[in-house]
PDB file of all heavy atoms in Angstrom:
ATOM      1  N   SER A 134      -5.697 -23.458 -30.524  1.00 81.00           N
ATOM      2  CA  SER A 134      -7.121 -23.520 -30.851  1.00 81.00           C
ATOM      3  C   SER A 134      -7.585 -22.343 -31.689  1.00 81.00           C
ATOM      4  O   SER A 134      -8.731 -22.298 -32.120  1.00 81.00           O
ATOM      5  CB  SER A 134      -7.951 -23.587 -29.559  1.00 81.00           C
ATOM      6  OG  SER A 134      -7.842 -22.367 -28.842  1.00 81.00           O
ATOM      7  N   GLY A 135      -6.706 -21.383 -31.923  1.00 78.00           N
ATOM      8  CA  GLY A 135      -7.033 -20.248 -32.766  1.00 78.00           C
ATOM      9  C   GLY A 135      -7.459 -19.007 -32.014  1.00 78.00           C
ATOM     10  O   GLY A 135      -7.901 -18.039 -32.642  1.00 78.00           O
ATOM     11  N   ALA A 136      -7.362 -18.995 -30.680  1.00 78.00           N
ATOM     12  CA  ALA A 136      -7.736 -17.816 -29.904  1.00 78.00           C
ATOM     13  C   ALA A 136      -6.771 -16.666 -30.202  1.00 78.00           C
ATOM     14  O   ALA A 136      -5.570 -16.874 -30.395  1.00 78.00           O
ATOM     15  CB  ALA A 136      -7.727 -18.143 -28.416  1.00 78.00           C
ATOM     16  N   SER A 137      -7.305 -15.463 -30.241  1.00 79.00           N
ATOM     17  CA  SER A 137      -6.468 -14.293 -30.512  1.00 79.00           C
ATOM     18  C   SER A 137      -5.585 -13.970 -29.315  1.00 79.00           C
ATOM     19  O   SER A 137      -5.847 -14.411 -28.191  1.00 79.00           O
ATOM     20  CB  SER A 137      -7.349 -13.092 -30.846  1.00 79.00           C
ATOM     21  OG  SER A 137      -8.153 -12.742 -29.727  1.00 79.00           O
ATOM     22  N   ALA A 138      -4.547 -13.183 -29.588  1.00 77.00           N
ATOM     23  CA  ALA A 138      -3.615 -12.826 -28.515  1.00 77.00           C
ATOM     24  C   ALA A 138      -4.321 -12.024 -27.420  1.00 77.00           C
ATOM     25  O   ALA A 138      -4.096 -12.252 -26.230  1.00 77.00           O
ATOM     26  CB  ALA A 138      -2.447 -12.031 -29.096  1.00 77.00           C
ATOM     27  N   MET A 139      -5.195 -11.093 -27.810  1.00 83.00           N
ATOM     28  CA  MET A 139      -5.909 -10.289 -26.815  1.00 83.00           C
ATOM     29  C   MET A 139      -6.833 -11.151 -25.976  1.00 83.00           C
ATOM     30  O   MET A 139      -6.962 -10.941 -24.763  1.00 83.00           O
ATOM     31  CB  MET A 139      -6.706  -9.184 -27.514  1.00 83.00           C
ATOM     32  CG  MET A 139      -5.853  -8.065 -28.095  1.00 83.00           C
ATOM     33  SD  MET A 139      -4.849  -7.247 -26.831  1.00 83.00           S
ATOM     34  CE  MET A 139      -6.131  -6.645 -25.742  1.00 83.00           C
ATOM     35  N   SER A 140      -7.466 -12.124 -26.615  1.00 83.00           N
ATOM     36  CA  SER A 140      -8.349 -13.022 -25.866  1.00 83.00           C
ATOM     37  C   SER A 140      -7.565 -13.863 -24.876  1.00 83.00           C
ATOM     38  O   SER A 140      -8.000 -14.061 -23.728  1.00 83.00           O
ATOM     39  CB  SER A 140      -9.107 -13.925 -26.836  1.00 83.00           C
ATOM     40  OG  SER A 140      -9.907 -14.855 -26.124  1.00 83.00           O
ATOM     41  N   ILE A 141      -6.413 -14.351 -25.267  1.00 81.00           N
ATOM     42  CA  ILE A 141      -5.584 -15.161 -24.370  1.00 81.00           C
ATOM     43  C   ILE A 141      -5.085 -14.320 -23.202  1.00 81.00           C
ATOM     44  O   ILE A 141      -5.118 -14.755 -22.049  1.00 81.00           O
ATOM     45  CB  ILE A 141      -4.408 -15.775 -25.147  1.00 81.00           C
ATOM     46  CG1 ILE A 141      -4.922 -16.766 -26.196  1.00 81.00           C
ATOM     47  CG2 ILE A 141      -3.436 -16.462 -24.201  1.00 81.00           C
ATOM     48  CD1 ILE A 141      -3.839 -17.326 -27.094  1.00 81.00           C
ATOM     49  N   ILE A 142      -4.631 -13.098 -23.492  1.00 81.00           N
ATOM     50  CA  ILE A 142      -4.123 -12.227 -22.426  1.00 81.00           C
ATOM     51  C   ILE A 142      -5.241 -11.880 -21.447  1.00 81.00           C
ATOM     52  O   ILE A 142      -5.051 -11.947 -20.229  1.00 81.00           O
ATOM     53  CB  ILE A 142      -3.523 -10.947 -23.036  1.00 81.00           C
ATOM     54  CG1 ILE A 142      -2.246 -11.283 -23.814  1.00 81.00           C
ATOM     55  CG2 ILE A 142      -3.226  -9.919 -21.943  1.00 81.00           C
ATOM     56  CD1 ILE A 142      -1.642 -10.102 -24.540  1.00 81.00           C
ATOM     57  N   ARG A 143      -6.415 -11.542 -21.978  1.00 82.00           N
ATOM     58  CA  ARG A 143      -7.524 -11.143 -21.115  1.00 82.00           C
ATOM     59  C   ARG A 143      -8.064 -12.308 -20.296  1.00 82.00           C
ATOM     60  O   ARG A 143      -8.404 -12.145 -19.111  1.00 82.00           O
ATOM     61  CB  ARG A 143      -8.636 -10.540 -21.963  1.00 82.00           C
ATOM     62  CG  ARG A 143      -9.811 -10.005 -21.151  1.00 82.00           C
ATOM     63  CD  ARG A 143     -10.879  -9.397 -22.035  1.00 82.00           C
ATOM     64  NE  ARG A 143     -11.500 -10.386 -22.909  1.00 82.00           N
ATOM     65  CZ  ARG A 143     -11.277 -10.483 -24.210  1.00 82.00           C
ATOM     66  NH1 ARG A 143     -10.419  -9.629 -24.789  1.00 82.00           N
ATOM     67  NH2 ARG A 143     -11.868 -11.398 -24.947  1.00 82.00           N
ATOM     68  N   THR A 144      -8.112 -13.494 -20.889  1.00 81.00           N
ATOM     69  CA  THR A 144      -8.752 -14.632 -20.229  1.00 81.00           C
ATOM     70  C   THR A 144      -7.790 -15.436 -19.362  1.00 81.00           C
ATOM     71  O   THR A 144      -8.144 -15.848 -18.256  1.00 81.00           O
ATOM     72  CB  THR A 144      -9.390 -15.559 -21.283  1.00 81.00           C
ATOM     73  OG1 THR A 144     -10.260 -14.796 -22.127  1.00 81.00           O
ATOM     74  CG2 THR A 144     -10.178 -16.673 -20.618  1.00 81.00           C
ATOM     75  N   HIS A 145      -6.568 -15.654 -19.853  1.00 80.00           N
ATOM     76  CA  HIS A 145      -5.675 -16.601 -19.194  1.00 80.00           C
ATOM     77  C   HIS A 145      -4.459 -15.951 -18.527  1.00 80.00           C
ATOM     78  O   HIS A 145      -3.984 -16.457 -17.512  1.00 80.00           O
ATOM     79  CB  HIS A 145      -5.174 -17.638 -20.209  1.00 80.00           C
ATOM     80  CG  HIS A 145      -6.270 -18.421 -20.868  1.00 80.00           C
ATOM     81  ND1 HIS A 145      -7.044 -19.333 -20.185  1.00 80.00           N
ATOM     82  CD2 HIS A 145      -6.727 -18.408 -22.157  1.00 80.00           C
ATOM     83  CE1 HIS A 145      -7.930 -19.872 -21.016  1.00 80.00           C
ATOM     84  NE2 HIS A 145      -7.764 -19.319 -22.216  1.00 80.00           N
ATOM     85  N   VAL A 146      -3.962 -14.876 -19.110  1.00 84.00           N
ATOM     86  CA  VAL A 146      -2.699 -14.304 -18.622  1.00 84.00           C
ATOM     87  C   VAL A 146      -2.935 -13.233 -17.567  1.00 84.00           C
ATOM     88  O   VAL A 146      -2.277 -13.219 -16.519  1.00 84.00           O
ATOM     89  CB  VAL A 146      -1.877 -13.737 -19.797  1.00 84.00           C
ATOM     90  CG1 VAL A 146      -0.569 -13.116 -19.289  1.00 84.00           C
ATOM     91  CG2 VAL A 146      -1.592 -14.822 -20.818  1.00 84.00           C
ATOM     92  N   LEU A 147      -3.893 -12.343 -17.816  1.00 83.00           N
ATOM     93  CA  LEU A 147      -4.069 -11.186 -16.953  1.00 83.00           C
ATOM     94  C   LEU A 147      -4.366 -11.578 -15.515  1.00 83.00           C
ATOM     95  O   LEU A 147      -3.821 -10.984 -14.581  1.00 83.00           O
ATOM     96  CB  LEU A 147      -5.199 -10.306 -17.504  1.00 83.00           C
ATOM     97  CG  LEU A 147      -5.417  -8.963 -16.802  1.00 83.00           C
ATOM     98  CD1 LEU A 147      -4.169  -8.107 -16.895  1.00 83.00           C
ATOM     99  CD2 LEU A 147      -6.606  -8.238 -17.416  1.00 83.00           C
ATOM    100  N   GLY A 148      -5.208 -12.594 -15.310  1.00 82.00           N
ATOM    101  CA  GLY A 148      -5.548 -13.005 -13.950  1.00 82.00           C
ATOM    102  C   GLY A 148      -4.360 -13.511 -13.165  1.00 82.00           C
ATOM    103  O   GLY A 148      -4.294 -13.338 -11.935  1.00 82.00           O
ATOM    104  N   ASN A 149      -3.399 -14.134 -13.858  1.00 84.00           N
ATOM    105  CA  ASN A 149      -2.208 -14.636 -13.176  1.00 84.00           C
ATOM    106  C   ASN A 149      -1.176 -13.546 -12.914  1.00 84.00           C
ATOM    107  O   ASN A 149      -0.336 -13.694 -12.026  1.00 84.00           O
ATOM    108  CB  ASN A 149      -1.551 -15.751 -14.011  1.00 84.00           C
ATOM    109  CG  ASN A 149      -2.412 -16.989 -14.097  1.00 84.00           C
ATOM    110  OD1 ASN A 149      -2.583 -17.719 -13.130  1.00 84.00           O
ATOM    111  ND2 ASN A 149      -2.983 -17.225 -15.269  1.00 84.00           N
ATOM    112  N   VAL A 150      -1.239 -12.479 -13.694  1.00 88.00           N
ATOM    113  CA  VAL A 150      -0.242 -11.413 -13.570  1.00 88.00           C
ATOM    114  C   VAL A 150      -0.659 -10.368 -12.543  1.00 88.00           C
ATOM    115  O   VAL A 150       0.183  -9.830 -11.810  1.00 88.00           O
ATOM    116  CB  VAL A 150       0.003 -10.761 -14.947  1.00 88.00           C
ATOM    117  CG1 VAL A 150       0.918  -9.545 -14.823  1.00 88.00           C
ATOM    118  CG2 VAL A 150       0.598 -11.774 -15.911  1.00 88.00           C
ATOM    119  N   LEU A 151      -1.956 -10.065 -12.458  1.00 88.00           N
ATOM    120  CA  LEU A 151      -2.414  -8.980 -11.607  1.00 88.00           C
ATOM    121  C   LEU A 151      -2.081  -9.211 -10.138  1.00 88.00           C
ATOM    122  O   LEU A 151      -1.751  -8.263  -9.423  1.00 88.00           O
ATOM    123  CB  LEU A 151      -3.932  -8.788 -11.761  1.00 88.00           C
ATOM    124  CG  LEU A 151      -4.390  -8.086 -13.033  1.00 88.00           C
ATOM    125  CD1 LEU A 151      -5.907  -7.968 -13.054  1.00 88.00           C
ATOM    126  CD2 LEU A 151      -3.757  -6.704 -13.148  1.00 88.00           C
ATOM    127  N   GLY A 152      -2.178 -10.465  -9.673  1.00 86.00           N
ATOM    128  CA  GLY A 152      -1.917 -10.747  -8.263  1.00 86.00           C
ATOM    129  C   GLY A 152      -0.518 -10.346  -7.827  1.00 86.00           C
ATOM    130  O   GLY A 152      -0.355  -9.513  -6.914  1.00 86.00           O
ATOM    131  N   PRO A 153       0.541 -10.902  -8.431  1.00 89.00           N
ATOM    132  CA  PRO A 153       1.906 -10.511  -8.039  1.00 89.00           C
ATOM    133  C   PRO A 153       2.192  -9.029  -8.236  1.00 89.00           C
ATOM    134  O   PRO A 153       2.883  -8.420  -7.413  1.00 89.00           O
ATOM    135  CB  PRO A 153       2.786 -11.378  -8.958  1.00 89.00           C
ATOM    136  CG  PRO A 153       1.921 -12.543  -9.322  1.00 89.00           C
ATOM    137  CD  PRO A 153       0.533 -12.008  -9.396  1.00 89.00           C
ATOM    138  N   VAL A 154       1.679  -8.448  -9.320  1.00 92.00           N
ATOM    139  CA  VAL A 154       1.927  -7.020  -9.557  1.00 92.00           C
ATOM    140  C   VAL A 154       1.227  -6.173  -8.508  1.00 92.00           C
ATOM    141  O   VAL A 154       1.784  -5.179  -8.018  1.00 92.00           O
ATOM    142  CB  VAL A 154       1.477  -6.620 -10.981  1.00 92.00           C
ATOM    143  CG1 VAL A 154       1.662  -5.121 -11.197  1.00 92.00           C
ATOM    144  CG2 VAL A 154       2.257  -7.400 -12.022  1.00 92.00           C
ATOM    145  N   PHE A 155       0.005  -6.563  -8.144  1.00 90.00           N
ATOM    146  CA  PHE A 155      -0.736  -5.831  -7.119  1.00 90.00           C
ATOM    147  C   PHE A 155      -0.009  -5.871  -5.776  1.00 90.00           C
ATOM    148  O   PHE A 155       0.092  -4.854  -5.082  1.00 90.00           O
ATOM    149  CB  PHE A 155      -2.142  -6.416  -6.978  1.00 90.00           C
ATOM    150  CG  PHE A 155      -2.945  -5.813  -5.856  1.00 90.00           C
ATOM    151  CD1 PHE A 155      -3.511  -4.561  -5.980  1.00 90.00           C
ATOM    152  CD2 PHE A 155      -3.111  -6.505  -4.664  1.00 90.00           C
ATOM    153  CE1 PHE A 155      -4.245  -4.004  -4.948  1.00 90.00           C
ATOM    154  CE2 PHE A 155      -3.847  -5.963  -3.625  1.00 90.00           C
ATOM    155  CZ  PHE A 155      -4.412  -4.708  -3.769  1.00 90.00           C
ATOM    156  N   VAL A 156       0.493  -7.047  -5.414  1.00 88.00           N
ATOM    157  CA  VAL A 156       1.228  -7.176  -4.154  1.00 88.00           C
ATOM    158  C   VAL A 156       2.464  -6.288  -4.174  1.00 88.00           C
ATOM    159  O   VAL A 156       2.775  -5.594  -3.192  1.00 88.00           O
ATOM    160  CB  VAL A 156       1.610  -8.648  -3.904  1.00 88.00           C
ATOM    161  CG1 VAL A 156       2.551  -8.763  -2.715  1.00 88.00           C
ATOM    162  CG2 VAL A 156       0.366  -9.487  -3.656  1.00 88.00           C
ATOM    163  N   TYR A 157       3.183  -6.285  -5.284  1.00 92.00           N
ATOM    164  CA  TYR A 157       4.384  -5.447  -5.378  1.00 92.00           C
ATOM    165  C   TYR A 157       4.020  -3.962  -5.328  1.00 92.00           C
ATOM    166  O   TYR A 157       4.713  -3.171  -4.692  1.00 92.00           O
ATOM    167  CB  TYR A 157       5.129  -5.762  -6.675  1.00 92.00           C
ATOM    168  CG  TYR A 157       6.430  -5.023  -6.819  1.00 92.00           C
ATOM    169  CD1 TYR A 157       7.567  -5.462  -6.165  1.00 92.00           C
ATOM    170  CD2 TYR A 157       6.519  -3.879  -7.602  1.00 92.00           C
ATOM    171  CE1 TYR A 157       8.768  -4.776  -6.295  1.00 92.00           C
ATOM    172  CE2 TYR A 157       7.711  -3.187  -7.731  1.00 92.00           C
ATOM    173  CZ  TYR A 157       8.828  -3.640  -7.065  1.00 92.00           C
ATOM    174  OH  TYR A 157      10.018  -2.956  -7.174  1.00 92.00           O
ATOM    175  N   ALA A 158       2.917  -3.594  -5.983  1.00 93.00           N
ATOM    176  CA  ALA A 158       2.515  -2.184  -6.000  1.00 93.00           C
ATOM    177  C   ALA A 158       2.115  -1.699  -4.615  1.00 93.00           C
ATOM    178  O   ALA A 158       2.399  -0.550  -4.253  1.00 93.00           O
ATOM    179  CB  ALA A 158       1.365  -1.976  -6.988  1.00 93.00           C
ATOM    180  N   THR A 159       1.473  -2.552  -3.821  1.00 90.00           N
ATOM    181  CA  THR A 159       1.110  -2.133  -2.467  1.00 90.00           C
ATOM    182  C   THR A 159       2.356  -1.842  -1.630  1.00 90.00           C
ATOM    183  O   THR A 159       2.340  -0.965  -0.767  1.00 90.00           O
ATOM    184  CB  THR A 159       0.264  -3.208  -1.777  1.00 90.00           C
ATOM    185  OG1 THR A 159       0.958  -4.464  -1.807  1.00 90.00           O
ATOM    186  CG2 THR A 159      -1.087  -3.362  -2.447  1.00 90.00           C
ATOM    187  N   GLY A 160       3.420  -2.584  -1.894  1.00 89.00           N
ATOM    188  CA  GLY A 160       4.662  -2.309  -1.183  1.00 89.00           C
ATOM    189  C   GLY A 160       5.299  -0.987  -1.572  1.00 89.00           C
ATOM    190  O   GLY A 160       6.087  -0.423  -0.803  1.00 89.00           O
ATOM    191  N   LEU A 161       4.972  -0.481  -2.760  1.00 93.00           N
ATOM    192  CA  LEU A 161       5.523   0.799  -3.214  1.00 93.00           C
ATOM    193  C   LEU A 161       4.819   2.001  -2.598  1.00 93.00           C
ATOM    194  O   LEU A 161       5.328   3.123  -2.691  1.00 93.00           O
ATOM    195  CB  LEU A 161       5.429   0.896  -4.741  1.00 93.00           C
ATOM    196  CG  LEU A 161       6.318  -0.029  -5.563  1.00 93.00           C
ATOM    197  CD1 LEU A 161       6.043   0.167  -7.050  1.00 93.00           C
ATOM    198  CD2 LEU A 161       7.791   0.215  -5.262  1.00 93.00           C
ATOM    199  N   LEU A 162       3.662   1.788  -1.990  1.00 93.00           N
ATOM    200  CA  LEU A 162       2.912   2.921  -1.436  1.00 93.00           C
ATOM    201  C   LEU A 162       3.696   3.621  -0.332  1.00 93.00           C
ATOM    202  O   LEU A 162       3.707   4.854  -0.259  1.00 93.00           O
ATOM    203  CB  LEU A 162       1.562   2.430  -0.901  1.00 93.00           C
ATOM    204  CG  LEU A 162       0.533   2.029  -1.955  1.00 93.00           C
ATOM    205  CD1 LEU A 162      -0.671   1.379  -1.307  1.00 93.00           C
ATOM    206  CD2 LEU A 162       0.105   3.242  -2.782  1.00 93.00           C
ATOM    207  N   SER A 163       4.337   2.854   0.538  1.00 92.00           N
ATOM    208  CA  SER A 163       5.111   3.474   1.612  1.00 92.00           C
ATOM    209  C   SER A 163       6.301   4.249   1.053  1.00 92.00           C
ATOM    210  O   SER A 163       6.622   5.348   1.522  1.00 92.00           O
ATOM    211  CB  SER A 163       5.583   2.411   2.598  1.00 92.00           C
ATOM    212  OG  SER A 163       6.387   1.446   1.956  1.00 92.00           O
ATOM    213  N   VAL A 164       6.943   3.689   0.022  1.00 93.00           N
ATOM    214  CA  VAL A 164       8.067   4.391  -0.610  1.00 93.00           C
ATOM    215  C   VAL A 164       7.581   5.666  -1.278  1.00 93.00           C
ATOM    216  O   VAL A 164       8.231   6.718  -1.204  1.00 93.00           O
ATOM    217  CB  VAL A 164       8.754   3.469  -1.636  1.00 93.00           C
ATOM    218  CG1 VAL A 164       9.920   4.185  -2.309  1.00 93.00           C
ATOM    219  CG2 VAL A 164       9.235   2.186  -0.966  1.00 93.00           C
ATOM    220  N   SER A 165       6.426   5.575  -1.930  1.00 94.00           N
ATOM    221  CA  SER A 165       5.883   6.747  -2.619  1.00 94.00           C
ATOM    222  C   SER A 165       5.549   7.865  -1.641  1.00 94.00           C
ATOM    223  O   SER A 165       5.779   9.049  -1.937  1.00 94.00           O
ATOM    224  CB  SER A 165       4.638   6.339  -3.407  1.00 94.00           C
ATOM    225  OG  SER A 165       4.118   7.436  -4.116  1.00 94.00           O
ATOM    226  N   MET A 166       5.008   7.506  -0.473  1.00 94.00           N
ATOM    227  CA  MET A 166       4.697   8.525   0.532  1.00 94.00           C
ATOM    228  C   MET A 166       5.957   9.278   0.956  1.00 94.00           C
ATOM    229  O   MET A 166       5.965  10.511   1.061  1.00 94.00           O
ATOM    230  CB  MET A 166       4.049   7.875   1.743  1.00 94.00           C
ATOM    231  CG  MET A 166       2.604   7.455   1.562  1.00 94.00           C
ATOM    232  SD  MET A 166       1.464   8.846   1.385  1.00 94.00           S
ATOM    233  CE  MET A 166       1.823   9.752   2.891  1.00 94.00           C
ATOM    234  N   ILE A 167       7.031   8.542   1.183  1.00 93.00           N
ATOM    235  CA  ILE A 167       8.272   9.171   1.638  1.00 93.00           C
ATOM    236  C   ILE A 167       8.888  10.018   0.535  1.00 93.00           C
ATOM    237  O   ILE A 167       9.354  11.144   0.781  1.00 93.00           O
ATOM    238  CB  ILE A 167       9.249   8.085   2.127  1.00 93.00           C
ATOM    239  CG1 ILE A 167       8.669   7.368   3.351  1.00 93.00           C
ATOM    240  CG2 ILE A 167      10.605   8.692   2.468  1.00 93.00           C
ATOM    241  CD1 ILE A 167       9.490   6.185   3.819  1.00 93.00           C
ATOM    242  N   LEU A 168       8.913   9.502  -0.704  1.00 94.00           N
ATOM    243  CA  LEU A 168       9.484  10.270  -1.812  1.00 94.00           C
ATOM    244  C   LEU A 168       8.676  11.528  -2.097  1.00 94.00           C
ATOM    245  O   LEU A 168       9.242  12.591  -2.372  1.00 94.00           O
ATOM    246  CB  LEU A 168       9.551   9.397  -3.063  1.00 94.00           C
ATOM    247  CG  LEU A 168      10.571   8.260  -3.058  1.00 94.00           C
ATOM    248  CD1 LEU A 168      10.514   7.485  -4.362  1.00 94.00           C
ATOM    249  CD2 LEU A 168      11.977   8.786  -2.816  1.00 94.00           C
ATOM    250  N   ALA A 169       7.336  11.419  -2.025  1.00 94.00           N
ATOM    251  CA  ALA A 169       6.493  12.595  -2.266  1.00 94.00           C
ATOM    252  C   ALA A 169       6.742  13.662  -1.209  1.00 94.00           C
ATOM    253  O   ALA A 169       6.837  14.863  -1.514  1.00 94.00           O
ATOM    254  CB  ALA A 169       5.020  12.184  -2.285  1.00 94.00           C
ATOM    255  N   ALA A 170       6.840  13.239   0.055  1.00 93.00           N
ATOM    256  CA  ALA A 170       7.130  14.202   1.117  1.00 93.00           C
ATOM    257  C   ALA A 170       8.522  14.807   0.937  1.00 93.00           C
ATOM    258  O   ALA A 170       8.728  15.995   1.203  1.00 93.00           O
ATOM    259  CB  ALA A 170       7.029  13.513   2.475  1.00 93.00           C
ATOM    260  N   GLY A 171       9.463  13.986   0.467  1.00 93.00           N
ATOM    261  CA  GLY A 171      10.811  14.504   0.236  1.00 93.00           C
ATOM    262  C   GLY A 171      10.850  15.556  -0.856  1.00 93.00           C
ATOM    263  O   GLY A 171      11.565  16.561  -0.735  1.00 93.00           O
ATOM    264  N   LEU A 172      10.088  15.342  -1.919  1.00 93.00           N
ATOM    265  CA  LEU A 172      10.052  16.344  -2.990  1.00 93.00           C
ATOM    266  C   LEU A 172       9.456  17.658  -2.492  1.00 93.00           C
ATOM    267  O   LEU A 172       9.952  18.739  -2.827  1.00 93.00           O
ATOM    268  CB  LEU A 172       9.236  15.808  -4.170  1.00 93.00           C
ATOM    269  CG  LEU A 172       9.850  14.646  -4.958  1.00 93.00           C
ATOM    270  CD1 LEU A 172       8.906  14.194  -6.065  1.00 93.00           C
ATOM    271  CD2 LEU A 172      11.208  15.023  -5.541  1.00 93.00           C
ATOM    272  N   SER A 173       8.399  17.579  -1.702  1.00 93.00           N
ATOM    273  CA  SER A 173       7.817  18.804  -1.147  1.00 93.00           C
ATOM    274  C   SER A 173       8.773  19.474  -0.171  1.00 93.00           C
ATOM    275  O   SER A 173       8.846  20.703  -0.102  1.00 93.00           O
ATOM    276  CB  SER A 173       6.488  18.478  -0.452  1.00 93.00           C
ATOM    277  OG  SER A 173       5.526  18.030  -1.373  1.00 93.00           O
ATOM    278  N   PHE A 174       9.498  18.664   0.598  1.00 92.00           N
ATOM    279  CA  PHE A 174      10.473  19.219   1.536  1.00 92.00           C
ATOM    280  C   PHE A 174      11.551  20.004   0.796  1.00 92.00           C
ATOM    281  O   PHE A 174      12.032  21.034   1.286  1.00 92.00           O
ATOM    282  CB  PHE A 174      11.101  18.090   2.348  1.00 92.00           C
ATOM    283  CG  PHE A 174      12.095  18.549   3.362  1.00 92.00           C
ATOM    284  CD1 PHE A 174      11.682  18.979   4.621  1.00 92.00           C
ATOM    285  CD2 PHE A 174      13.447  18.560   3.080  1.00 92.00           C
ATOM    286  CE1 PHE A 174      12.601  19.408   5.562  1.00 92.00           C
ATOM    287  CE2 PHE A 174      14.371  18.984   4.009  1.00 92.00           C
ATOM    288  CZ  PHE A 174      13.949  19.410   5.260  1.00 92.00           C
ATOM    289  N   LEU A 175      11.919  19.530  -0.383  1.00 91.00           N
ATOM    290  CA  LEU A 175      12.957  20.199  -1.175  1.00 91.00           C
ATOM    291  C   LEU A 175      12.411  21.358  -2.005  1.00 91.00           C
ATOM    292  O   LEU A 175      13.169  22.003  -2.732  1.00 91.00           O
ATOM    293  CB  LEU A 175      13.632  19.183  -2.107  1.00 91.00           C
ATOM    294  CG  LEU A 175      14.418  18.068  -1.408  1.00 91.00           C
ATOM    295  CD1 LEU A 175      14.914  17.054  -2.437  1.00 91.00           C
ATOM    296  CD2 LEU A 175      15.588  18.643  -0.613  1.00 91.00           C
TER     297      LEU A 175
END
């Protein structure tokens, strides 16, 4: 239909991508806490 790439990403793609990425990122919080404490320990 002639929509620009940025318009398609913002309107159609981003909403579908944020959910799975957000879920994966929340799982990294526990790992990040342990790694951060490990760096300070060292």
Side-chain angles (χ1 to χ4, degrees):
S134 67
S137 64
M139 288 301 300
S140 177
I141 295 175
I142 292 176
R143 184 179 64 254
T144 307
H145 301 291
V146 179
L147 186 60
N149 293 289
V150 174
L151 284 180
V154 177
F155 175 76
V156 171
Y157 184 80
T159 55
L161 291 178
L162 288 172
S163 59
V164 180
S165 182
M166 285 292 304
I167 296 174
L168 290 180
L172 291 178
S173 295
F174 181 84
L175 295 174

